[in-house]
Amino acid sequence: MSKIKKVLAMLLALAMVLGTTLTTFAAVGELVQDYKSTIIINGLADGDETTVNIYQAVTLVEGDGAYEWVVAEWAKDYIVLNQEKTAYVIENPDGLKEATIPQSPTESQNVTGTTATFADMNVGAYVILASGEKAVYNLMVADTYDASQTYMAAKDAVINAKTSGYNVDKSANDNFISKGQIVTFTIATTFPTFKEVSEDNSFKIVDTPTGLTITEVTKVTIGGATLNGASGAYGAGDDAGNYTIDLSNQIGTTVETLNDNAGKQVIVTYEAEVTADNGYSNTVNTFRNDQKLGEGKTEGFTGDITITKKDENDNSLKGAEFSVFKNDVTEALYFTGSNGVYSLANKDAEGANQTIAVNDSGVVQIKGLDEGTYHFKETKAPDGYSINTNGVTVIIEPDESATANISVKDEIIDTQLSSLPSTGGIGTTIFTIGGCLIMIVAAGLFFASRRKSAK
């Protein structure tokens, strides 16, 4: 009996030893799944359909009674472990990104807001790639191992999307315009993310208009909320001609608030007056600190009309003058210019006049016109010619895309006064001749009767 007890005691002791060393016999490289984390990516472009893929590049495994890091085969050329395999360093971020792209993601989401959340992720390090229409995202890495703890522990990872640029959409409410017209422009972009709190952080929208003068910023919204008091200003010196809308005061000044606006849509609306005869070109750039993030451009176009004054023999005539009317408006348009070249103008503009004149070649051109029907009424004919009372009507009609300036040419024919056709038959001519004959005959009879009396 005592021998049986001894055997049982030995078996019990062996079982206890095996129980205490169970982890030592775990399979080498066995994935540790007892620790879970949540990965949150903030600052994605709002309103964009962003695809977020995450790839576990460094995995925590248990082997030989200890925990260690293992780098995925596709990432070994870019991620280096320390000798103890307890820490890693990414040596080539660009190479790692390229190596990651063809891999199958561990998890994937399509989001339209500013945040993507991945829950129940195994402890380790993850490469994150995001793509969308509004932003260009850099490589991101999330680490879910809490090395600050004495014992094994996982931590949640909250990171801000890293971007190298944002798309900028620039549009106008009218792209075929007239000189002096007020055009409304809209800029749509995304508020950028920032790495750290700094007094030097800035976010600026810089507009460079050509053929325009920006008159007023009418509205700015960030994430749909109207920003009261937003405005812009023209620069000086090297910045002369650039119009800057500075939104730097919307960047958070604490770690907690730094990226509160990151990823939100920014919409700026402003008005500008067309100042050029041949349309406008308008380019806008956005800047995070000194880094250019994106560019947008829009163009506007105009029309011009050239009239040549000729006689019936196709010879050009100088000295003709006209008034020009648009559509059904009874008041003539105003122009500035001379020597046969005129530009549409406001009636209050210096030198504005409602009369235009051909040059010595019999040509007159008016510029800075938008679409419509224009009627040229001749108010003065060249010397020796009659006024063409019909004038000429010209239509400027761009296509729907309005992607080019439009030039239209026409002619007005005048007739020489000496060659004017008679009207109503021979008219008074016969009466004039008859009257003269009667006067001659009467005079002859008068003198004949005097002679006879004298005899």
Side-chain angles (χ1 to χ4, degrees):
M1 189 69 177
S2 60
K3 290 182 178 181
I4 295 173
K5 289 182 177 180
K6 289 180 180 180
V7 172
L8 291 173
M10 290 177 63
L11 292 172
L12 180 61
L14 181 60
M16 293 178 65
V17 171
L18 289 172
T20 58
T21 59
L22 185 61
T23 56
T24 304
F25 292 94
V28 175
E30 183 176 335
L31 181 65
V32 176
Q33 301 190 64
D34 295 334
Y35 307 96
K36 300 291 185 180
S37 300
T38 298
I39 299 175
I40 300 173
I41 302 101
N42 290 324
L44 302 172
D46 192 21
D48 194 11
E49 185 171 341
T50 306
T51 299
V52 183
N53 294 327
I54 63 175
Y55 309 77
Q56 189 160 10
V58 181
T59 303
L60 186 67
V61 299
E62 184 181 5
D64 295 332
Y67 295 111
E68 62 182 34
W69 295 111
V70 174
V71 179
E73 284 295 327
W74 53 269
K76 283 186 175 180
D77 291 339
Y78 314 101
I79 300 177
V80 177
L81 296 174
N82 63 0
Q83 188 172 0
E84 294 78 19
K85 296 183 179 180
T86 57
Y88 66 88
V89 175
I90 297 176
E91 292 192 333
N92 185 348
D94 293 335
L96 178 59
K97 181 177 181 179
E98 292 301 316
T100 303
I101 291 173
Q103 308 304 317
S104 297
T106 304
E107 296 286 347
S108 181
Q109 288 186 21
N110 291 321
V111 298
T112 55
T114 60
T115 301
T117 302
F118 296 87
D120 296 323
M121 306 302 297
N122 291 325
V123 67
Y126 293 84
V127 174
I128 303 170
L129 299 180
S131 61
E133 294 293 328
K134 292 185 177 181
V136 179
Y137 297 94
N138 294 332
L139 177 78
M140 295 170 273
V141 177
D143 189 347
T144 62
Y145 172 65
D146 192 350
S148 65
Q149 301 300 316
T150 303
Y151 301 100
M152 169 57 65
K155 66 177 180 179
D156 293 337
V158 180
I159 61 175
N160 289 304
K162 297 179 180 179
T163 56
S164 58
Y166 293 94
N167 289 347
V168 181
D169 179 47
K170 183 68 178 291
S171 60
N173 70 334
D174 196 352
N175 292 101
F176 200 88
I177 40 75
S178 61
K179 184 180 179 183
Q181 181 178 334
I182 300 298
V183 180
T184 300
F185 293 89
T186 301
I187 301 168
T189 187
T190 303
F191 206 99
T193 56
F194 291 85
K195 294 180 180 179
E196 58 187 7
V197 175
S198 171
E199 292 182 355
D200 296 327
N201 282 340
S202 65
F203 175 45
K204 297 178 181 180
I205 298 173
V206 181
D207 199 302
T208 306
T210 301
L212 293 167
T213 298
I214 298 175
T215 55
E216 181 186 10
V217 174
T218 55
K219 190 175 183 180
V220 176
T221 62
I222 300 177
T226 300
L227 183 62
N228 294 324
S231 62
Y234 277 102
D238 293 340
D239 287 330
N242 289 337
Y243 190 86
T244 300
I245 301 162
D246 193 344
L247 300 178
S248 301
N249 60 359
Q250 299 303 304
I251 305 169
T253 56
T254 66
V255 173
E256 293 77 17
T257 64
L258 177 63
N259 287 302
D260 280 355
N261 284 325
K264 293 181 179 179
Q265 187 178 45
V266 178
I267 298 178
V268 177
T269 305
Y270 68 83
E271 293 182 345
E273 180 180 353
V274 180
T275 57
D277 294 326
N278 58 346
Y280 63 79
S281 176
N282 199 353
T283 302
V284 61
N285 291 282
T286 58
F287 293 90
R288 173 177 52 200
N289 301 334
D290 293 327
Q291 178 192 11
K292 179 179 173 180
L293 295 177
E295 178 180 304
K297 184 177 181 179
T298 186
E299 294 180 290
F301 305 93
T302 62
D304 64 83
I305 299 173
T306 300
I307 299 295
T308 303
K309 188 68 175 175
K310 294 185 175 183
D311 66 13
E312 294 172 302
N313 297 317
D314 204 35
N315 298 311
S316 297
L317 302 174
K318 64 179 180 179
E321 295 181 356
F322 303 91
S323 292
V324 183
F325 301 83
K326 181 183 177 184
N327 299 334
D328 295 326
V329 179
T330 56
E331 183 181 9
L333 298 174
Y334 285 83
F335 296 90
T336 57
S338 61
N339 196 31
V341 180
Y342 296 87
S343 175
L344 185 67
N346 185 289
K347 66 179 180 179
D348 297 325
E350 184 177 355
N353 199 298
Q354 290 176 296
T355 299
I356 60 174
V358 299
N359 59 19
D360 289 345
S361 298
V363 177
V364 62
Q365 181 186 40
I366 55 174
K367 302 189 295 183
L369 311 174
D370 61 354
E371 65 270 26
T373 300
Y374 295 85
H375 181 72
F376 288 72
K377 179 181 178 181
E378 188 170 0
T379 57
K380 179 183 177 183
D383 291 342
Y385 289 83
S386 64
I387 287 178
N388 186 322
T389 57
N390 292 326
V392 67
T393 298
V394 179
I395 298 175
I396 296 179
E397 188 175 10
D399 58 26
E400 292 183 359
S401 58
T403 56
N405 292 328
I406 295 178
S407 295
V408 182
K409 295 182 178 181
D410 210 327
E411 298 177 349
I412 294 181
I413 308 299
D414 277 4
T415 305
Q416 280 187 302
L417 290 173
S418 59
S419 63
L420 282 176
S422 58
T423 59
I426 59 176
T428 61
T429 304
I430 191 170
F431 296 105
T432 303
I433 295 173
C436 291
L437 290 173
I438 292 171
M439 290 176 66
I440 293 171
V441 171
L445 292 173
F446 173 74
F447 288 111
S449 63
R450 287 191 64 181
R451 282 196 201 127
K452 190 174 184 180
S453 300
K455 290 180 180 179

